[in-house]
Amino acid sequence: IIACPCALGLATPMSVMVGVGRGAKEGVLIKNAEVLEVMEKVDTIVVDKTGTLTQGRPEVTGVETFADWNENDVLTLAAAVEAQSEHPLAQAVVRRAKADELQLVEASEFNSITGGVDDHDVLIGKADLLDEQGTEGVDAGRDKAGSHQAEGATVVFVAIDNRLAAILAITDPIKQSTPAALKTLHELGLRVVMLTGDAEPTAKAVASKLGIYEFHAGVSPEEKHDFVRKLKKEGKTVAMCGDGINDAPALAEANVGIAMGTGTGVAIESAGVTLVGGDLRGVAAAANLSRKTMSNIRQNLFFAFIYNTLGIPVAAGLPYPIFGVLLSPMIAAAAMSFSSVSVIANSLRLRNTSLVQK
């Protein structure tokens, strides 16, 4: 009496699509069976902020200028430089300039630090970057930035001709599904850690809104990778969730990499799990699914082995000398069929299992 291995869930690695909601847009793509098995053991979830907890489409919500610069001139020059970048914050500046119907000029000598526009040297980034380049007036911007950061906004400093010209408050709304997803993860007993390149006040405001008790701000891509590696050395089983190129090293280092389907191809390629619609509830669904699936497999193994343990000795005739009992071939066939049916029926219970809160 032998149960079919596929009925036990011991299938070869394959792509598995799990629906979080009704449509495929909210699905979870699990690339292979090994990822599903490892996901059950995950005890720590590390999440990026932008594009993961938030919508990943930030907007400029405030502009404060300094010296003799006005808002339109600053946005025109800043957008000319940021148009060369694919970073979400850069694109937010460009969208704001276009929304204000400003005519963008073309930047020259652009690189990841500076760009020259209409004979102006423009530097855009964090306050520390401007300090490193010897920019004047940065402290005045820091004083103004605090109120925006307390509201959860990211503040970008704009220097023109080596002097602070403006600060831009950029806000990225939190996804509606994020609070429910985090609540489910906490209920599963998982430790959630937020890593972000944003300043401490901004990270603190977002973490406070979402009930995340552990976060690290001002983290570079290399530091994200090193943080995940450190957790693994401490004996943690880590799942890293991110959406951008800068998250790819950490995604690859984690025991399970989880990429947002709305993110970059590099991030998706580095991950074992893809949240097709970028819905963070998929992380909770994947964690729940892995636990329920592995539990189901163990139950199926029990069913299969108990039938074999009881049926094989009877079929071999061991009770006959004592009880005079032999197992009829018809009964053996029925027992084998019932074994497979019970295993498959138990597996099908997963179809009606709620994996995440709505």
PDB file of all heavy atoms in Angstrom, residues 44-78:
ATOM      1  N   THR A  44      12.746  36.702  10.708  1.00  0.00           N
ATOM      2  CA  THR A  44      13.017  38.138  10.615  1.00  0.00           C
ATOM      3  C   THR A  44      12.706  38.633   9.206  1.00  0.00           C
ATOM      4  O   THR A  44      13.195  38.072   8.230  1.00  0.00           O
ATOM      5  CB  THR A  44      14.490  38.443  10.941  1.00  0.00           C
ATOM      6  OG1 THR A  44      14.807  37.919  12.229  1.00  0.00           O
ATOM      7  CG2 THR A  44      14.735  39.953  10.949  1.00  0.00           C
ATOM      8  N   ILE A  45      11.886  39.683   9.113  1.00  0.00           N
ATOM      9  CA  ILE A  45      11.558  40.305   7.836  1.00  0.00           C
ATOM     10  C   ILE A  45      12.214  41.681   7.795  1.00  0.00           C
ATOM     11  O   ILE A  45      11.941  42.534   8.639  1.00  0.00           O
ATOM     12  CB  ILE A  45      10.041  40.471   7.646  1.00  0.00           C
ATOM     13  CG1 ILE A  45       9.316  39.133   7.807  1.00  0.00           C
ATOM     14  CG2 ILE A  45       9.739  41.101   6.289  1.00  0.00           C
ATOM     15  CD1 ILE A  45       9.500  38.170   6.683  1.00  0.00           C
ATOM     16  N   VAL A  46      13.092  41.888   6.834  1.00  0.00           N
ATOM     17  CA  VAL A  46      13.733  43.191   6.640  1.00  0.00           C
ATOM     18  C   VAL A  46      13.073  43.858   5.442  1.00  0.00           C
ATOM     19  O   VAL A  46      12.988  43.260   4.361  1.00  0.00           O
ATOM     20  CB  VAL A  46      15.249  43.042   6.399  1.00  0.00           C
ATOM     21  CG1 VAL A  46      15.888  44.408   6.151  1.00  0.00           C
ATOM     22  CG2 VAL A  46      15.908  42.354   7.588  1.00  0.00           C
ATOM     23  N   VAL A  47      12.583  45.095   5.618  1.00  0.00           N
ATOM     24  CA  VAL A  47      11.866  45.764   4.531  1.00  0.00           C
ATOM     25  C   VAL A  47      12.501  47.111   4.217  1.00  0.00           C
ATOM     26  O   VAL A  47      12.935  47.848   5.099  1.00  0.00           O
ATOM     27  CB  VAL A  47      10.374  45.978   4.886  1.00  0.00           C
ATOM     28  CG1 VAL A  47       9.640  44.663   4.982  1.00  0.00           C
ATOM     29  CG2 VAL A  47      10.207  46.766   6.186  1.00  0.00           C
ATOM     30  N   ASP A  48      12.578  47.396   2.943  1.00  0.00           N
ATOM     31  CA  ASP A  48      12.939  48.735   2.482  1.00  0.00           C
ATOM     32  C   ASP A  48      11.706  49.626   2.645  1.00  0.00           C
ATOM     33  O   ASP A  48      10.587  49.115   2.780  1.00  0.00           O
ATOM     34  CB  ASP A  48      13.380  48.661   1.021  1.00  0.00           C
ATOM     35  CG  ASP A  48      13.722  50.029   0.448  1.00  0.00           C
ATOM     36  OD1 ASP A  48      14.401  50.805   1.136  1.00  0.00           O
ATOM     37  OD2 ASP A  48      13.291  50.314  -0.684  1.00  0.00           O
ATOM     38  N   LYS A  49      11.881  50.938   2.628  1.00  0.00           N
ATOM     39  CA  LYS A  49      10.736  51.825   2.796  1.00  0.00           C
ATOM     40  C   LYS A  49      10.126  52.238   1.460  1.00  0.00           C
ATOM     41  O   LYS A  49       8.995  51.881   1.146  1.00  0.00           O
ATOM     42  CB  LYS A  49      11.128  53.085   3.583  1.00  0.00           C
ATOM     43  CG  LYS A  49       9.944  54.038   3.826  1.00  0.00           C
ATOM     44  CD  LYS A  49      10.355  55.266   4.581  1.00  0.00           C
ATOM     45  CE  LYS A  49      11.050  56.281   3.711  1.00  0.00           C
ATOM     46  NZ  LYS A  49      10.137  56.908   2.691  1.00  0.00           N
ATOM     47  N   THR A  50      10.896  52.958   0.667  1.00  0.00           N
ATOM     48  CA  THR A  50      10.375  53.517  -0.566  1.00  0.00           C
ATOM     49  C   THR A  50      10.024  52.428  -1.578  1.00  0.00           C
ATOM     50  O   THR A  50      10.867  51.615  -1.948  1.00  0.00           O
ATOM     51  CB  THR A  50      11.396  54.493  -1.197  1.00  0.00           C
ATOM     52  OG1 THR A  50      11.725  55.500  -0.242  1.00  0.00           O
ATOM     53  CG2 THR A  50      10.824  55.139  -2.449  1.00  0.00           C
ATOM     54  N   GLY A  51       8.771  52.407  -2.015  1.00  0.00           N
ATOM     55  CA  GLY A  51       8.325  51.432  -2.994  1.00  0.00           C
ATOM     56  C   GLY A  51       7.929  50.103  -2.399  1.00  0.00           C
ATOM     57  O   GLY A  51       7.380  49.252  -3.098  1.00  0.00           O
ATOM     58  N   THR A  52       8.208  49.919  -1.113  1.00  0.00           N
ATOM     59  CA  THR A  52       7.856  48.668  -0.440  1.00  0.00           C
ATOM     60  C   THR A  52       6.748  48.928   0.572  1.00  0.00           C
ATOM     61  O   THR A  52       5.653  48.388   0.465  1.00  0.00           O
ATOM     62  CB  THR A  52       9.085  48.063   0.257  1.00  0.00           C
ATOM     63  OG1 THR A  52      10.125  47.879  -0.707  1.00  0.00           O
ATOM     64  CG2 THR A  52       8.750  46.727   0.894  1.00  0.00           C
ATOM     65  N   LEU A  53       7.039  49.756   1.544  1.00  0.00           N
ATOM     66  CA  LEU A  53       6.010  50.187   2.495  1.00  0.00           C
ATOM     67  C   LEU A  53       5.172  51.317   1.893  1.00  0.00           C
ATOM     68  O   LEU A  53       3.995  51.471   2.219  1.00  0.00           O
ATOM     69  CB  LEU A  53       6.647  50.661   3.799  1.00  0.00           C
ATOM     70  CG  LEU A  53       7.501  49.640   4.570  1.00  0.00           C
ATOM     71  CD1 LEU A  53       8.122  50.292   5.786  1.00  0.00           C
ATOM     72  CD2 LEU A  53       6.675  48.431   4.977  1.00  0.00           C
ATOM     73  N   THR A  54       5.813  52.114   1.048  1.00  0.00           N
ATOM     74  CA  THR A  54       5.134  53.256   0.436  1.00  0.00           C
ATOM     75  C   THR A  54       4.835  52.955  -1.033  1.00  0.00           C
ATOM     76  O   THR A  54       5.254  51.937  -1.578  1.00  0.00           O
ATOM     77  CB  THR A  54       6.003  54.523   0.533  1.00  0.00           C
ATOM     78  OG1 THR A  54       7.228  54.308  -0.185  1.00  0.00           O
ATOM     79  CG2 THR A  54       6.318  54.836   1.986  1.00  0.00           C
ATOM     80  N   GLN A  55       4.128  53.857  -1.692  1.00  0.00           N
ATOM     81  CA  GLN A  55       3.668  53.621  -3.060  1.00  0.00           C
ATOM     82  C   GLN A  55       4.795  53.668  -4.091  1.00  0.00           C
ATOM     83  O   GLN A  55       4.637  53.186  -5.204  1.00  0.00           O
ATOM     84  CB  GLN A  55       2.584  54.634  -3.427  1.00  0.00           C
ATOM     85  CG  GLN A  55       1.299  54.454  -2.627  1.00  0.00           C
ATOM     86  CD  GLN A  55       0.232  55.471  -2.986  1.00  0.00           C
ATOM     87  OE1 GLN A  55       0.382  56.238  -3.949  1.00  0.00           O
ATOM     88  NE2 GLN A  55      -0.848  55.501  -2.221  1.00  0.00           N
ATOM     89  N   GLY A  56       5.911  54.268  -3.726  1.00  0.00           N
ATOM     90  CA  GLY A  56       7.021  54.349  -4.667  1.00  0.00           C
ATOM     91  C   GLY A  56       6.832  55.413  -5.728  1.00  0.00           C
ATOM     92  O   GLY A  56       7.547  55.442  -6.732  1.00  0.00           O
ATOM     93  N   ARG A  57       5.863  56.300  -5.525  1.00  0.00           N
ATOM     94  CA  ARG A  57       5.646  57.422  -6.448  1.00  0.00           C
ATOM     95  C   ARG A  57       5.561  58.707  -5.627  1.00  0.00           C
ATOM     96  O   ARG A  57       4.488  59.287  -5.431  1.00  0.00           O
ATOM     97  CB  ARG A  57       4.381  57.221  -7.272  1.00  0.00           C
ATOM     98  CG  ARG A  57       4.196  58.269  -8.366  1.00  0.00           C
ATOM     99  CD  ARG A  57       2.962  58.008  -9.204  1.00  0.00           C
ATOM    100  NE  ARG A  57       2.684  59.116 -10.097  1.00  0.00           N
ATOM    101  CZ  ARG A  57       3.269  59.305 -11.278  1.00  0.00           C
ATOM    102  NH1 ARG A  57       4.190  58.447 -11.678  1.00  0.00           N
ATOM    103  NH2 ARG A  57       2.944  60.328 -12.048  1.00  0.00           N
ATOM    104  N   PRO A  58       6.700  59.174  -5.120  1.00  0.00           N
ATOM    105  CA  PRO A  58       6.705  60.358  -4.256  1.00  0.00           C
ATOM    106  C   PRO A  58       6.389  61.639  -5.027  1.00  0.00           C
ATOM    107  O   PRO A  58       6.572  61.700  -6.250  1.00  0.00           O
ATOM    108  CB  PRO A  58       8.141  60.388  -3.717  1.00  0.00           C
ATOM    109  CG  PRO A  58       8.944  59.669  -4.747  1.00  0.00           C
ATOM    110  CD  PRO A  58       8.044  58.608  -5.312  1.00  0.00           C
ATOM    111  N   GLU A  59       5.910  62.630  -4.308  1.00  0.00           N
ATOM    112  CA  GLU A  59       5.588  63.925  -4.900  1.00  0.00           C
ATOM    113  C   GLU A  59       6.186  65.040  -4.050  1.00  0.00           C
ATOM    114  O   GLU A  59       6.281  64.927  -2.828  1.00  0.00           O
ATOM    115  CB  GLU A  59       4.063  64.110  -4.995  1.00  0.00           C
ATOM    116  CG  GLU A  59       3.349  63.063  -5.848  1.00  0.00           C
ATOM    117  CD  GLU A  59       3.709  63.152  -7.327  1.00  0.00           C
ATOM    118  OE1 GLU A  59       4.215  64.220  -7.752  1.00  0.00           O
ATOM    119  OE2 GLU A  59       3.482  62.160  -8.039  1.00  0.00           O
ATOM    120  N   VAL A  60       6.574  66.114  -4.712  1.00  0.00           N
ATOM    121  CA  VAL A  60       7.093  67.290  -4.008  1.00  0.00           C
ATOM    122  C   VAL A  60       5.924  68.008  -3.356  1.00  0.00           C
ATOM    123  O   VAL A  60       5.015  68.478  -4.032  1.00  0.00           O
ATOM    124  CB  VAL A  60       7.842  68.240  -4.971  1.00  0.00           C
ATOM    125  CG1 VAL A  60       8.290  69.500  -4.219  1.00  0.00           C
ATOM    126  CG2 VAL A  60       9.049  67.532  -5.576  1.00  0.00           C
ATOM    127  N   THR A  61       5.943  68.076  -2.032  1.00  0.00           N
ATOM    128  CA  THR A  61       4.833  68.688  -1.297  1.00  0.00           C
ATOM    129  C   THR A  61       5.201  70.026  -0.653  1.00  0.00           C
ATOM    130  O   THR A  61       4.345  70.688  -0.083  1.00  0.00           O
ATOM    131  CB  THR A  61       4.336  67.731  -0.203  1.00  0.00           C
ATOM    132  OG1 THR A  61       5.444  67.341   0.620  1.00  0.00           O
ATOM    133  CG2 THR A  61       3.717  66.484  -0.819  1.00  0.00           C
ATOM    134  N   GLY A  62       6.470  70.393  -0.745  1.00  0.00           N
ATOM    135  CA  GLY A  62       6.883  71.663  -0.157  1.00  0.00           C
ATOM    136  C   GLY A  62       8.220  72.126  -0.715  1.00  0.00           C
ATOM    137  O   GLY A  62       9.111  71.313  -0.952  1.00  0.00           O
ATOM    138  N   VAL A  63       8.324  73.430  -0.950  1.00  0.00           N
ATOM    139  CA  VAL A  63       9.578  74.019  -1.435  1.00  0.00           C
ATOM    140  C   VAL A  63       9.870  75.255  -0.599  1.00  0.00           C
ATOM    141  O   VAL A  63       9.035  76.164  -0.506  1.00  0.00           O
ATOM    142  CB  VAL A  63       9.489  74.422  -2.921  1.00  0.00           C
ATOM    143  CG1 VAL A  63      10.816  75.033  -3.384  1.00  0.00           C
ATOM    144  CG2 VAL A  63       9.117  73.221  -3.782  1.00  0.00           C
ATOM    145  N   GLU A  64      11.042  75.281   0.032  1.00  0.00           N
ATOM    146  CA  GLU A  64      11.465  76.458   0.793  1.00  0.00           C
ATOM    147  C   GLU A  64      12.780  76.946   0.217  1.00  0.00           C
ATOM    148  O   GLU A  64      13.755  76.206   0.144  1.00  0.00           O
ATOM    149  CB  GLU A  64      11.619  76.119   2.271  1.00  0.00           C
ATOM    150  CG  GLU A  64      10.305  75.753   2.944  1.00  0.00           C
ATOM    151  CD  GLU A  64      10.396  75.841   4.459  1.00  0.00           C
ATOM    152  OE1 GLU A  64      11.070  76.758   4.959  1.00  0.00           O
ATOM    153  OE2 GLU A  64       9.796  74.985   5.134  1.00  0.00           O
ATOM    154  N   THR A  65      12.791  78.219  -0.203  1.00  0.00           N
ATOM    155  CA  THR A  65      13.966  78.770  -0.874  1.00  0.00           C
ATOM    156  C   THR A  65      14.790  79.635   0.082  1.00  0.00           C
ATOM    157  O   THR A  65      14.291  80.094   1.126  1.00  0.00           O
ATOM    158  CB  THR A  65      13.557  79.608  -2.088  1.00  0.00           C
ATOM    159  OG1 THR A  65      12.699  80.678  -1.653  1.00  0.00           O
ATOM    160  CG2 THR A  65      12.813  78.740  -3.097  1.00  0.00           C
ATOM    161  N   PHE A  66      16.040  79.853  -0.304  1.00  0.00           N
ATOM    162  CA  PHE A  66      16.972  80.653   0.495  1.00  0.00           C
ATOM    163  C   PHE A  66      17.659  81.660  -0.421  1.00  0.00           C
ATOM    164  O   PHE A  66      17.644  81.533  -1.642  1.00  0.00           O
ATOM    165  CB  PHE A  66      18.005  79.757   1.172  1.00  0.00           C
ATOM    166  CG  PHE A  66      17.406  78.756   2.124  1.00  0.00           C
ATOM    167  CD1 PHE A  66      16.972  77.523   1.660  1.00  0.00           C
ATOM    168  CD2 PHE A  66      17.252  79.044   3.470  1.00  0.00           C
ATOM    169  CE1 PHE A  66      16.409  76.597   2.520  1.00  0.00           C
ATOM    170  CE2 PHE A  66      16.681  78.125   4.342  1.00  0.00           C
ATOM    171  CZ  PHE A  66      16.261  76.904   3.864  1.00  0.00           C
ATOM    172  N   ALA A  67      18.261  82.653   0.221  1.00  0.00           N
ATOM    173  CA  ALA A  67      18.959  83.723  -0.490  1.00  0.00           C
ATOM    174  C   ALA A  67      17.978  84.409  -1.453  1.00  0.00           C
ATOM    175  O   ALA A  67      16.840  84.670  -1.084  1.00  0.00           O
ATOM    176  CB  ALA A  67      20.188  83.164  -1.218  1.00  0.00           C
ATOM    177  N   ASP A  68      18.398  84.644  -2.680  1.00  0.00           N
ATOM    178  CA  ASP A  68      17.551  85.379  -3.630  1.00  0.00           C
ATOM    179  C   ASP A  68      16.842  84.463  -4.622  1.00  0.00           C
ATOM    180  O   ASP A  68      16.268  84.947  -5.608  1.00  0.00           O
ATOM    181  CB  ASP A  68      18.408  86.396  -4.413  1.00  0.00           C
ATOM    182  CG  ASP A  68      19.005  87.455  -3.498  1.00  0.00           C
ATOM    183  OD1 ASP A  68      18.337  87.812  -2.505  1.00  0.00           O
ATOM    184  OD2 ASP A  68      20.132  87.922  -3.780  1.00  0.00           O
ATOM    185  N   TRP A  69      16.864  83.198  -4.374  1.00  0.00           N
ATOM    186  CA  TRP A  69      16.265  82.264  -5.317  1.00  0.00           C
ATOM    187  C   TRP A  69      14.748  82.172  -5.101  1.00  0.00           C
ATOM    188  O   TRP A  69      14.272  82.211  -3.971  1.00  0.00           O
ATOM    189  CB  TRP A  69      16.881  80.880  -5.164  1.00  0.00           C
ATOM    190  CG  TRP A  69      18.287  80.825  -5.664  1.00  0.00           C
ATOM    191  CD1 TRP A  69      19.429  80.913  -4.932  1.00  0.00           C
ATOM    192  CD2 TRP A  69      18.691  80.703  -7.026  1.00  0.00           C
ATOM    193  NE1 TRP A  69      20.529  80.848  -5.732  1.00  0.00           N
ATOM    194  CE2 TRP A  69      20.109  80.708  -7.041  1.00  0.00           C
ATOM    195  CE3 TRP A  69      18.010  80.567  -8.236  1.00  0.00           C
ATOM    196  CZ2 TRP A  69      20.847  80.605  -8.209  1.00  0.00           C
ATOM    197  CZ3 TRP A  69      18.739  80.456  -9.402  1.00  0.00           C
ATOM    198  CH2 TRP A  69      20.145  80.479  -9.386  1.00  0.00           C
ATOM    199  N   ASN A  70      14.014  82.040  -6.224  1.00  0.00           N
ATOM    200  CA  ASN A  70      12.574  81.820  -6.110  1.00  0.00           C
ATOM    201  C   ASN A  70      12.255  80.369  -6.469  1.00  0.00           C
ATOM    202  O   ASN A  70      13.073  79.651  -7.042  1.00  0.00           O
ATOM    203  CB  ASN A  70      11.778  82.798  -6.983  1.00  0.00           C
ATOM    204  CG  ASN A  70      12.074  82.636  -8.471  1.00  0.00           C
ATOM    205  OD1 ASN A  70      11.935  81.546  -9.019  1.00  0.00           O
ATOM    206  ND2 ASN A  70      12.488  83.730  -9.112  1.00  0.00           N
ATOM    207  N   GLU A  71      11.045  79.959  -6.150  1.00  0.00           N
ATOM    208  CA  GLU A  71      10.652  78.558  -6.283  1.00  0.00           C
ATOM    209  C   GLU A  71      10.753  78.053  -7.715  1.00  0.00           C
ATOM    210  O   GLU A  71      11.290  76.967  -7.973  1.00  0.00           O
ATOM    211  CB  GLU A  71       9.228  78.384  -5.762  1.00  0.00           C
ATOM    212  CG  GLU A  71       8.716  76.951  -5.831  1.00  0.00           C
ATOM    213  CD  GLU A  71       7.329  76.802  -5.216  1.00  0.00           C
ATOM    214  OE1 GLU A  71       7.085  77.399  -4.138  1.00  0.00           O
ATOM    215  OE2 GLU A  71       6.500  76.090  -5.815  1.00  0.00           O
ATOM    216  N   ASN A  72      10.261  78.825  -8.674  1.00  0.00           N
ATOM    217  CA  ASN A  72      10.265  78.369 -10.063  1.00  0.00           C
ATOM    218  C   ASN A  72      11.672  78.174 -10.611  1.00  0.00           C
ATOM    219  O   ASN A  72      11.952  77.203 -11.318  1.00  0.00           O
ATOM    220  CB  ASN A  72       9.492  79.352 -10.951  1.00  0.00           C
ATOM    221  CG  ASN A  72       7.990  79.257 -10.751  1.00  0.00           C
ATOM    222  OD1 ASN A  72       7.493  78.310 -10.146  1.00  0.00           O
ATOM    223  ND2 ASN A  72       7.256  80.247 -11.245  1.00  0.00           N
ATOM    224  N   ASP A  73      12.566  79.115 -10.295  1.00  0.00           N
ATOM    225  CA  ASP A  73      13.942  79.005 -10.799  1.00  0.00           C
ATOM    226  C   ASP A  73      14.640  77.779 -10.211  1.00  0.00           C
ATOM    227  O   ASP A  73      15.349  77.051 -10.907  1.00  0.00           O
ATOM    228  CB  ASP A  73      14.736  80.266 -10.464  1.00  0.00           C
ATOM    229  CG  ASP A  73      14.299  81.467 -11.295  1.00  0.00           C
ATOM    230  OD1 ASP A  73      13.653  81.247 -12.345  1.00  0.00           O
ATOM    231  OD2 ASP A  73      14.590  82.603 -10.890  1.00  0.00           O
ATOM    232  N   VAL A  74      14.429  77.549  -8.919  1.00  0.00           N
ATOM    233  CA  VAL A  74      15.053  76.392  -8.271  1.00  0.00           C
ATOM    234  C   VAL A  74      14.524  75.094  -8.874  1.00  0.00           C
ATOM    235  O   VAL A  74      15.291  74.174  -9.196  1.00  0.00           O
ATOM    236  CB  VAL A  74      14.803  76.419  -6.751  1.00  0.00           C
ATOM    237  CG1 VAL A  74      15.212  75.086  -6.115  1.00  0.00           C
ATOM    238  CG2 VAL A  74      15.582  77.551  -6.106  1.00  0.00           C
ATOM    239  N   LEU A  75      13.198  75.008  -9.043  1.00  0.00           N
ATOM    240  CA  LEU A  75      12.609  73.794  -9.608  1.00  0.00           C
ATOM    241  C   LEU A  75      13.069  73.561 -11.047  1.00  0.00           C
ATOM    242  O   LEU A  75      13.298  72.416 -11.464  1.00  0.00           O
ATOM    243  CB  LEU A  75      11.089  73.875  -9.559  1.00  0.00           C
ATOM    244  CG  LEU A  75      10.444  73.635  -8.193  1.00  0.00           C
ATOM    245  CD1 LEU A  75       8.943  73.900  -8.252  1.00  0.00           C
ATOM    246  CD2 LEU A  75      10.705  72.214  -7.707  1.00  0.00           C
ATOM    247  N   THR A  76      13.224  74.637 -11.813  1.00  0.00           N
ATOM    248  CA  THR A  76      13.686  74.500 -13.196  1.00  0.00           C
ATOM    249  C   THR A  76      15.083  73.905 -13.249  1.00  0.00           C
ATOM    250  O   THR A  76      15.350  72.952 -14.005  1.00  0.00           O
ATOM    251  CB  THR A  76      13.677  75.865 -13.901  1.00  0.00           C
ATOM    252  OG1 THR A  76      12.342  76.376 -13.940  1.00  0.00           O
ATOM    253  CG2 THR A  76      14.204  75.733 -15.329  1.00  0.00           C
ATOM    254  N   LEU A  77      15.989  74.434 -12.432  1.00  0.00           N
ATOM    255  CA  LEU A  77      17.363  73.936 -12.424  1.00  0.00           C
ATOM    256  C   LEU A  77      17.445  72.532 -11.818  1.00  0.00           C
ATOM    257  O   LEU A  77      18.155  71.661 -12.332  1.00  0.00           O
ATOM    258  CB  LEU A  77      18.256  74.902 -11.641  1.00  0.00           C
ATOM    259  CG  LEU A  77      18.427  76.297 -12.257  1.00  0.00           C
ATOM    260  CD1 LEU A  77      19.247  77.187 -11.329  1.00  0.00           C
ATOM    261  CD2 LEU A  77      19.099  76.208 -13.619  1.00  0.00           C
ATOM    262  N   ALA A  78      16.703  72.317 -10.735  1.00  0.00           N
ATOM    263  CA  ALA A  78      16.732  71.001 -10.085  1.00  0.00           C
ATOM    264  C   ALA A  78      16.172  69.921 -11.008  1.00  0.00           C
ATOM    265  O   ALA A  78      16.727  68.825 -11.113  1.00  0.00           O
ATOM    266  CB  ALA A  78      15.939  71.048  -8.785  1.00  0.00           C
TER     267      ALA A  78
END
